[in-house]
PDB file of all heavy atoms in Angstrom:
ATOM      1  N   PRO A 259     -66.109 -70.656  52.121  1.00  0.00           N
ATOM      2  CA  PRO A 259     -65.018 -71.352  51.462  1.00  0.00           C
ATOM      3  C   PRO A 259     -63.999 -70.367  50.912  1.00  0.00           C
ATOM      4  O   PRO A 259     -64.347 -69.278  50.476  1.00  0.00           O
ATOM      5  CB  PRO A 259     -65.714 -72.116  50.334  1.00  0.00           C
ATOM      6  CG  PRO A 259     -67.025 -71.431  50.150  1.00  0.00           C
ATOM      7  CD  PRO A 259     -67.404 -70.879  51.493  1.00  0.00           C
ATOM      8  N   ALA A 260     -62.741 -70.753  50.991  1.00  0.00           N
ATOM      9  CA  ALA A 260     -61.684 -69.864  50.521  1.00  0.00           C
ATOM     10  C   ALA A 260     -61.756 -69.712  49.016  1.00  0.00           C
ATOM     11  O   ALA A 260     -62.013 -70.661  48.285  1.00  0.00           O
ATOM     12  CB  ALA A 260     -60.317 -70.427  50.909  1.00  0.00           C
ATOM     13  N   ALA A 261     -61.570 -68.469  48.525  1.00  0.00           N
ATOM     14  CA  ALA A 261     -61.571 -68.210  47.095  1.00  0.00           C
ATOM     15  C   ALA A 261     -60.294 -68.753  46.468  1.00  0.00           C
ATOM     16  O   ALA A 261     -59.225 -68.699  47.073  1.00  0.00           O
ATOM     17  CB  ALA A 261     -61.680 -66.708  46.841  1.00  0.00           C
ATOM     18  N   PRO A 262     -60.385 -69.281  45.257  1.00  0.00           N
ATOM     19  CA  PRO A 262     -59.173 -69.744  44.587  1.00  0.00           C
ATOM     20  C   PRO A 262     -58.211 -68.586  44.387  1.00  0.00           C
ATOM     21  O   PRO A 262     -58.632 -67.432  44.238  1.00  0.00           O
ATOM     22  CB  PRO A 262     -59.701 -70.260  43.240  1.00  0.00           C
ATOM     23  CG  PRO A 262     -61.159 -70.481  43.446  1.00  0.00           C
ATOM     24  CD  PRO A 262     -61.590 -69.498  44.475  1.00  0.00           C
ATOM     25  N   PRO A 263     -56.928 -68.842  44.418  1.00  0.00           N
ATOM     26  CA  PRO A 263     -55.979 -67.748  44.248  1.00  0.00           C
ATOM     27  C   PRO A 263     -56.130 -67.101  42.883  1.00  0.00           C
ATOM     28  O   PRO A 263     -56.433 -67.758  41.891  1.00  0.00           O
ATOM     29  CB  PRO A 263     -54.615 -68.452  44.380  1.00  0.00           C
ATOM     30  CG  PRO A 263     -54.883 -69.884  44.077  1.00  0.00           C
ATOM     31  CD  PRO A 263     -56.269 -70.151  44.545  1.00  0.00           C
ATOM     32  N   ALA A 264     -55.950 -65.788  42.863  1.00  0.00           N
ATOM     33  CA  ALA A 264     -56.046 -65.040  41.612  1.00  0.00           C
ATOM     34  C   ALA A 264     -54.663 -64.565  41.206  1.00  0.00           C
ATOM     35  O   ALA A 264     -53.735 -64.488  42.014  1.00  0.00           O
ATOM     36  CB  ALA A 264     -56.980 -63.841  41.793  1.00  0.00           C
ATOM     37  N   GLN A 265     -54.552 -64.240  39.933  1.00  0.00           N
ATOM     38  CA  GLN A 265     -53.294 -63.688  39.451  1.00  0.00           C
ATOM     39  C   GLN A 265     -53.078 -62.317  40.056  1.00  0.00           C
ATOM     40  O   GLN A 265     -54.020 -61.627  40.433  1.00  0.00           O
ATOM     41  CB  GLN A 265     -53.321 -63.606  37.924  1.00  0.00           C
ATOM     42  CG  GLN A 265     -53.430 -64.972  37.237  1.00  0.00           C
ATOM     43  CD  GLN A 265     -53.466 -64.841  35.732  1.00  0.00           C
ATOM     44  OE1 GLN A 265     -53.431 -63.741  35.201  1.00  0.00           O
ATOM     45  NE2 GLN A 265     -53.513 -65.979  35.049  1.00  0.00           N
ATOM     46  N   SER A 266     -51.840 -61.922  40.140  1.00  0.00           N
ATOM     47  CA  SER A 266     -51.492 -60.632  40.726  1.00  0.00           C
ATOM     48  C   SER A 266     -52.201 -59.507  39.979  1.00  0.00           C
ATOM     49  O   SER A 266     -52.204 -59.463  38.748  1.00  0.00           O
ATOM     50  CB  SER A 266     -49.970 -60.433  40.653  1.00  0.00           C
ATOM     51  OG  SER A 266     -49.626 -59.157  41.130  1.00  0.00           O
ATOM     52  N   GLY A 267     -52.808 -58.596  40.744  1.00  0.00           N
ATOM     53  CA  GLY A 267     -53.498 -57.460  40.149  1.00  0.00           C
ATOM     54  C   GLY A 267     -54.903 -57.766  39.667  1.00  0.00           C
ATOM     55  O   GLY A 267     -55.585 -56.874  39.174  1.00  0.00           O
ATOM     56  N   GLN A 268     -55.362 -59.000  39.807  1.00  0.00           N
ATOM     57  CA  GLN A 268     -56.692 -59.387  39.357  1.00  0.00           C
ATOM     58  C   GLN A 268     -57.583 -59.665  40.571  1.00  0.00           C
ATOM     59  O   GLN A 268     -57.094 -60.095  41.608  1.00  0.00           O
ATOM     60  CB  GLN A 268     -56.617 -60.639  38.477  1.00  0.00           C
ATOM     61  CG  GLN A 268     -55.816 -60.448  37.198  1.00  0.00           C
ATOM     62  CD  GLN A 268     -56.462 -59.442  36.267  1.00  0.00           C
ATOM     63  OE1 GLN A 268     -57.672 -59.401  36.139  1.00  0.00           O
ATOM     64  NE2 GLN A 268     -55.641 -58.606  35.634  1.00  0.00           N
ATOM     65  N   PRO A 269     -58.896 -59.423  40.442  1.00  0.00           N
ATOM     66  CA  PRO A 269     -59.789 -59.725  41.558  1.00  0.00           C
ATOM     67  C   PRO A 269     -59.859 -61.232  41.804  1.00  0.00           C
ATOM     68  O   PRO A 269     -59.640 -62.035  40.897  1.00  0.00           O
ATOM     69  CB  PRO A 269     -61.146 -59.179  41.082  1.00  0.00           C
ATOM     70  CG  PRO A 269     -61.047 -59.130  39.593  1.00  0.00           C
ATOM     71  CD  PRO A 269     -59.606 -58.843  39.291  1.00  0.00           C
ATOM     72  N   ALA A 270     -60.122 -61.601  43.048  1.00  0.00           N
ATOM     73  CA  ALA A 270     -60.217 -63.018  43.395  1.00  0.00           C
ATOM     74  C   ALA A 270     -61.342 -63.672  42.602  1.00  0.00           C
ATOM     75  O   ALA A 270     -62.389 -63.069  42.382  1.00  0.00           O
ATOM     76  CB  ALA A 270     -60.459 -63.174  44.885  1.00  0.00           C
ATOM     77  N   ARG A 271     -61.111 -64.892  42.177  1.00  0.00           N
ATOM     78  CA  ARG A 271     -62.145 -65.610  41.440  1.00  0.00           C
ATOM     79  C   ARG A 271     -63.296 -65.913  42.387  1.00  0.00           C
ATOM     80  O   ARG A 271     -63.090 -66.383  43.511  1.00  0.00           O
ATOM     81  CB  ARG A 271     -61.576 -66.882  40.835  1.00  0.00           C
ATOM     82  CG  ARG A 271     -60.570 -66.611  39.719  1.00  0.00           C
ATOM     83  CD  ARG A 271     -60.333 -67.872  38.894  1.00  0.00           C
ATOM     84  NE  ARG A 271     -59.739 -68.951  39.680  1.00  0.00           N
ATOM     85  CZ  ARG A 271     -58.418 -69.100  39.847  1.00  0.00           C
ATOM     86  NH1 ARG A 271     -57.581 -68.243  39.302  1.00  0.00           N
ATOM     87  NH2 ARG A 271     -57.947 -70.115  40.555  1.00  0.00           N
ATOM     88  N   PRO A 272     -64.527 -65.676  41.947  1.00  0.00           N
ATOM     89  CA  PRO A 272     -65.676 -65.878  42.853  1.00  0.00           C
ATOM     90  C   PRO A 272     -65.918 -67.348  43.129  1.00  0.00           C
ATOM     91  O   PRO A 272     -65.543 -68.229  42.348  1.00  0.00           O
ATOM     92  CB  PRO A 272     -66.839 -65.264  42.067  1.00  0.00           C
ATOM     93  CG  PRO A 272     -66.423 -65.363  40.635  1.00  0.00           C
ATOM     94  CD  PRO A 272     -64.930 -65.194  40.622  1.00  0.00           C
ATOM     95  N   VAL A 273     -66.555 -67.591  44.262  1.00  0.00           N
ATOM     96  CA  VAL A 273     -66.949 -68.944  44.643  1.00  0.00           C
ATOM     97  C   VAL A 273     -68.403 -68.908  45.098  1.00  0.00           C
ATOM     98  O   VAL A 273     -68.899 -67.876  45.554  1.00  0.00           O
ATOM     99  CB  VAL A 273     -66.064 -69.512  45.778  1.00  0.00           C
ATOM    100  CG1 VAL A 273     -64.644 -69.691  45.316  1.00  0.00           C
ATOM    101  CG2 VAL A 273     -66.131 -68.617  47.003  1.00  0.00           C
ATOM    102  N   ALA A 274     -69.079 -70.015  44.973  1.00  0.00           N
ATOM    103  CA  ALA A 274     -70.458 -70.117  45.439  1.00  0.00           C
ATOM    104  C   ALA A 274     -70.483 -70.148  46.960  1.00  0.00           C
ATOM    105  O   ALA A 274     -69.679 -70.821  47.601  1.00  0.00           O
ATOM    106  CB  ALA A 274     -71.109 -71.372  44.869  1.00  0.00           C
ATOM    107  N   GLY A 275     -71.414 -69.414  47.539  1.00  0.00           N
ATOM    108  CA  GLY A 275     -71.547 -69.370  48.996  1.00  0.00           C
ATOM    109  C   GLY A 275     -70.662 -68.348  49.652  1.00  0.00           C
ATOM    110  O   GLY A 275     -70.485 -68.390  50.878  1.00  0.00           O
ATOM    111  N   ASP A 276     -70.121 -67.392  48.898  1.00  0.00           N
ATOM    112  CA  ASP A 276     -69.229 -66.380  49.452  1.00  0.00           C
ATOM    113  C   ASP A 276     -70.058 -65.248  50.067  1.00  0.00           C
ATOM    114  O   ASP A 276     -70.077 -64.122  49.578  1.00  0.00           O
ATOM    115  CB  ASP A 276     -68.299 -65.853  48.363  1.00  0.00           C
ATOM    116  CG  ASP A 276     -67.240 -64.902  48.922  1.00  0.00           C
ATOM    117  OD1 ASP A 276     -67.055 -64.887  50.147  1.00  0.00           O
ATOM    118  OD2 ASP A 276     -66.614 -64.183  48.123  1.00  0.00           O
ATOM    119  N   GLN A 289     -75.916 -64.349  48.970  1.00  0.00           N
ATOM    120  CA  GLN A 289     -75.041 -64.019  47.849  1.00  0.00           C
ATOM    121  C   GLN A 289     -75.854 -63.551  46.643  1.00  0.00           C
ATOM    122  O   GLN A 289     -75.474 -62.592  45.962  1.00  0.00           O
ATOM    123  CB  GLN A 289     -74.183 -65.225  47.475  1.00  0.00           C
ATOM    124  CG  GLN A 289     -73.132 -64.913  46.412  1.00  0.00           C
ATOM    125  CD  GLN A 289     -72.165 -66.071  46.197  1.00  0.00           C
ATOM    126  OE1 GLN A 289     -72.411 -67.195  46.649  1.00  0.00           O
ATOM    127  NE2 GLN A 289     -71.060 -65.803  45.532  1.00  0.00           N
ATOM    128  N   ALA A 361     -68.366 -57.855  34.390  1.00  0.00           N
ATOM    129  CA  ALA A 361     -67.573 -59.070  34.185  1.00  0.00           C
ATOM    130  C   ALA A 361     -67.409 -59.841  35.493  1.00  0.00           C
ATOM    131  O   ALA A 361     -67.488 -61.075  35.520  1.00  0.00           O
ATOM    132  CB  ALA A 361     -66.208 -58.699  33.600  1.00  0.00           C
ATOM    133  N   GLN A 362     -67.196 -59.111  36.596  1.00  0.00           N
ATOM    134  CA  GLN A 362     -67.069 -59.772  37.894  1.00  0.00           C
ATOM    135  C   GLN A 362     -68.382 -60.434  38.306  1.00  0.00           C
ATOM    136  O   GLN A 362     -68.401 -61.576  38.792  1.00  0.00           O
ATOM    137  CB  GLN A 362     -66.634 -58.747  38.951  1.00  0.00           C
ATOM    138  CG  GLN A 362     -66.389 -59.327  40.335  1.00  0.00           C
ATOM    139  CD  GLN A 362     -65.137 -60.196  40.403  1.00  0.00           C
ATOM    140  OE1 GLN A 362     -64.358 -60.242  39.456  1.00  0.00           O
ATOM    141  NE2 GLN A 362     -64.962 -60.892  41.514  1.00  0.00           N
ATOM    142  N   LEU A 363     -69.500 -59.739  38.078  1.00  0.00           N
ATOM    143  CA  LEU A 363     -70.796 -60.312  38.425  1.00  0.00           C
ATOM    144  C   LEU A 363     -71.133 -61.493  37.517  1.00  0.00           C
ATOM    145  O   LEU A 363     -71.741 -62.471  37.964  1.00  0.00           O
ATOM    146  CB  LEU A 363     -71.881 -59.246  38.321  1.00  0.00           C
ATOM    147  CG  LEU A 363     -71.909 -58.215  39.451  1.00  0.00           C
ATOM    148  CD1 LEU A 363     -72.821 -57.049  39.101  1.00  0.00           C
ATOM    149  CD2 LEU A 363     -72.367 -58.858  40.753  1.00  0.00           C
ATOM    150  N   ASP A 364     -70.743 -61.403  36.264  1.00  0.00           N
ATOM    151  CA  ASP A 364     -70.984 -62.506  35.344  1.00  0.00           C
ATOM    152  C   ASP A 364     -70.212 -63.750  35.784  1.00  0.00           C
ATOM    153  O   ASP A 364     -70.734 -64.874  35.752  1.00  0.00           O
ATOM    154  CB  ASP A 364     -70.577 -62.090  33.931  1.00  0.00           C
ATOM    155  CG  ASP A 364     -71.015 -63.107  32.889  1.00  0.00           C
ATOM    156  OD1 ASP A 364     -72.186 -63.507  32.905  1.00  0.00           O
ATOM    157  OD2 ASP A 364     -70.173 -63.509  32.065  1.00  0.00           O
ATOM    158  N   ALA A 365     -68.964 -63.543  36.209  1.00  0.00           N
ATOM    159  CA  ALA A 365     -68.166 -64.670  36.692  1.00  0.00           C
ATOM    160  C   ALA A 365     -68.769 -65.254  37.963  1.00  0.00           C
ATOM    161  O   ALA A 365     -68.789 -66.479  38.164  1.00  0.00           O
ATOM    162  CB  ALA A 365     -66.729 -64.221  36.942  1.00  0.00           C
ATOM    163  N   GLU A 366     -69.281 -64.386  38.834  1.00  0.00           N
ATOM    164  CA  GLU A 366     -69.910 -64.866  40.063  1.00  0.00           C
ATOM    165  C   GLU A 366     -71.179 -65.649  39.747  1.00  0.00           C
ATOM    166  O   GLU A 366     -71.437 -66.714  40.325  1.00  0.00           O
ATOM    167  CB  GLU A 366     -70.235 -63.682  40.977  1.00  0.00           C
ATOM    168  CG  GLU A 366     -70.671 -64.073  42.365  1.00  0.00           C
ATOM    169  CD  GLU A 366     -70.768 -62.879  43.298  1.00  0.00           C
ATOM    170  OE1 GLU A 366     -70.648 -61.731  42.840  1.00  0.00           O
ATOM    171  OE2 GLU A 366     -70.963 -63.114  44.503  1.00  0.00           O
ATOM    172  N   SER A 367     -71.980 -65.144  38.801  1.00  0.00           N
ATOM    173  CA  SER A 367     -73.200 -65.842  38.415  1.00  0.00           C
ATOM    174  C   SER A 367     -72.890 -67.217  37.840  1.00  0.00           C
ATOM    175  O   SER A 367     -73.625 -68.177  38.080  1.00  0.00           O
ATOM    176  CB  SER A 367     -73.978 -65.009  37.393  1.00  0.00           C
ATOM    177  OG  SER A 367     -75.124 -65.675  36.946  1.00  0.00           O
ATOM    178  N   VAL A 369     -70.639 -69.318  38.666  1.00  0.00           N
ATOM    179  CA  VAL A 369     -70.354 -70.340  39.678  1.00  0.00           C
ATOM    180  C   VAL A 369     -71.511 -70.500  40.656  1.00  0.00           C
ATOM    181  O   VAL A 369     -71.679 -71.571  41.261  1.00  0.00           O
ATOM    182  CB  VAL A 369     -69.046 -70.011  40.445  1.00  0.00           C
ATOM    183  CG1 VAL A 369     -67.871 -69.995  39.502  1.00  0.00           C
ATOM    184  CG2 VAL A 369     -69.156 -68.701  41.201  1.00  0.00           C
ATOM    185  N   VAL A 370     -72.320 -69.460  40.826  1.00  0.00           N
ATOM    186  CA  VAL A 370     -73.430 -69.538  41.779  1.00  0.00           C
ATOM    187  C   VAL A 370     -74.596 -70.321  41.194  1.00  0.00           C
ATOM    188  O   VAL A 370     -75.187 -71.177  41.874  1.00  0.00           O
ATOM    189  CB  VAL A 370     -73.877 -68.120  42.188  1.00  0.00           C
ATOM    190  CG1 VAL A 370     -75.208 -68.161  42.937  1.00  0.00           C
ATOM    191  CG2 VAL A 370     -72.815 -67.464  43.060  1.00  0.00           C
TER     192      VAL A 370
END
Side-chain angles (χ1 to χ4, degrees):
Q265 297 179 359
S266 176
Q268 298 295 321
R271 292 196 297 272
V273 295
D276 186 15
Q289 186 172 14
Q362 183 70 9
L363 285 168
D364 189 49
E366 190 171 8
S367 177
V369 298
V370 168

